[in-house]
Amino acid sequence: MSNARFQPAVCVLVPSPDGRSTVAQVIRGTHVDGETLAARLYEYYVHRQDEGDVLPADLTLDTVLHHLGEQGAICTEGWHESLNEPSDAAAEITWQWARAQIERLLPGLSWEVDPEQRHAMPWERTTS
């Protein structure tokens, strides 16, 4: 399964959170493989790990989906964080933790990823 294939987004008009207007709720039907989910968890937690926070022992699928939705909303609104690269230690620890979380929560999920969509982890990046 390639994470480059997706269904068109669905748009539903809903009341805004403050109840004073209407907003568009966009629901995407993206196919996401295990590596992509782990990469999203990695991105969410790696700087927290670098700052000394303890990674949660066992996430729930609801927590993973919440983080994924939050990241999608930030990108939809055009907000992107620009952070320094994490330390090699934090990157490796967080990546292994993120993989283990997804493997535990969604056993048997495909880990094949479209090379054009794959995110290089810090320890995989090459310098020219």
Side-chain angles (χ1 to χ4, degrees), residues 36-95:
T36 302
L37 282 174
R40 295 293 150 257
L41 276 183
Y42 168 88
E43 290 172 6
Y44 191 87
Y45 284 100
V46 70
H47 291 287
R48 291 166 174 82
Q49 169 70 16
D50 226 7
E51 292 167 2
D53 290 352
V54 176
L55 296 171
D58 287 325
L59 295 179
T60 64
L61 187 54
D62 285 344
T63 300
V64 171
L65 295 177
H66 175 81
H67 292 329
L68 191 62
E70 184 178 43
Q71 288 170 329
I74 289 169
C75 287
T76 298
E77 295 179 2
W79 300 341
H80 298 275
E81 291 184 24
S82 177
L83 299 172
N84 296 329
E85 290 293 323
S87 67
D88 289 342
E92 187 170 344
I93 290 167
T94 307
W95 176 243

Side-chain angles (χ1 to χ4, degrees), residues 7-21:
Q7 298 296 318
V10 175
C11 178
V12 179
L13 298 179
V14 298
S16 65
D18 64 10
R20 295 186 294 164
S21 61

